Amino acid sequence: MQIAMIANVASAISVVVALGFGVLQIRQMRKTRALFTSAELVHAMQTPEFAESVRLVLTLPVKADPALIRDNPEMARAVLNLSHVYESLGVLVYHRIIHLHLVDDLMGGYVRESWAKIGPYVFSRREELGVYYGEWMQWLAERMADHPSPGKDRGAHIAHKTWKP
């Protein structure tokens, strides 16, 4: 009878250890996935096309007339380039693959400013293409406005001045 009891306890301990190990593995997998996605985000931002697209879009006035974009093929291409990146980021944040505050820290200024400038153009394209055009870009910009990264209103150089390695 004691052997059976020892076997049951050992079996229970084995199950608990296996469950604990499984939970740790899942957490590690999520961290690895987030790190990989973050690296891909940085990689996507470091292309000459993305940098040029940001430069062009930031020259637009806030709430730019859609014709300013539509009538300029280079500007329309720049908006399309940015929207592809921002759409992807919106989906990744929504599915919690990457954290909103990480995206905000890395490129929140670009997202906010771009959306402020090209929002009317996106709305005009939705009339032509449907409700899905720019949906995740808008969602991302709105979430950043609702839940900004801590210190985003002051800038990292001020908000995180006391940070130590």
Side-chain angles (χ1 to χ4, degrees), residues 27-75:
R27 285 184 180 170
Q28 184 61 40
M29 181 187 71
R30 285 183 179 161
K31 282 183 181 181
T32 301
R33 183 176 64 179
L35 287 171
F36 177 77
T37 306
S38 301
E40 286 300 310
L41 165 62
V42 171
H43 180 72
M45 291 174 20
Q46 292 179 337
T47 65
E49 294 83 13
F50 183 81
E52 180 61 11
S53 296
V54 168
R55 186 192 70 75
L56 283 171
V57 168
L58 292 182
T59 66
L60 290 168
V62 171
K63 295 184 180 179
D65 183 333
L68 283 174
I69 299 166
R70 189 176 295 113
D71 297 342
N72 181 339
E74 186 180 25
M75 187 64 75

Side-chain angles (χ1 to χ4, degrees), residues 7-152:
N8 284 339
V9 169
S11 179
I13 290 172
S14 296
V15 169
V16 170
V17 168
L19 285 173
F21 183 72
V23 167
L24 290 174
Q25 287 292 100
I26 289 170
R27 285 184 180 170
Q28 184 61 40
M29 181 187 71
R30 285 183 179 161
K31 282 183 181 181
T32 301
R33 183 176 64 179
L35 287 171
F36 177 77
T37 306
S38 301
E40 286 300 310
L41 165 62
V42 171
H43 180 72
M45 291 174 20
Q46 292 179 337
T47 65
E49 294 83 13
F50 183 81
E52 180 61 11
S53 296
V54 168
R55 186 192 70 75
L56 283 171
V57 168
L58 292 182
T59 66
L60 290 168
V62 171
K63 295 184 180 179
D65 183 333
L68 283 174
I69 299 166
R70 189 176 295 113
D71 297 342
N72 181 339
E74 186 180 25
M75 187 64 75
R77 190 170 32 260
V79 168
L80 188 62
N81 287 341
L82 290 186
S83 69
H84 281 304
V85 173
Y86 298 161
E87 290 279 296
S88 298
L89 289 173
V91 171
L92 292 172
V93 169
Y94 175 78
H95 287 284
R96 291 176 168 78
I97 294 170
I98 191 167
H99 295 283
L100 175 65
H101 288 169
L102 177 61
V103 175
D104 197 4
D105 287 340
L106 282 171
M107 59 190 315
Y110 291 156
V111 173
R112 285 181 179 84
E113 277 300 304
S114 297
W115 180 250
K117 293 166 184 274
I118 68 172
Y121 174 75
V122 171
F123 296 139
S124 73
R125 293 293 288 165
R126 280 186 189 156
E127 291 175 11
E128 302 165 26
L129 301 172
V131 69
Y132 308 112
Y133 185 81
E135 63 183 329
W136 288 108
M137 176 173 45
Q138 179 180 356
W139 181 89
L140 181 62
E142 290 173 352
R143 296 304 68 77
M144 285 182 178
D146 293 343
H147 309 284
S149 180
K152 196 65 178 181

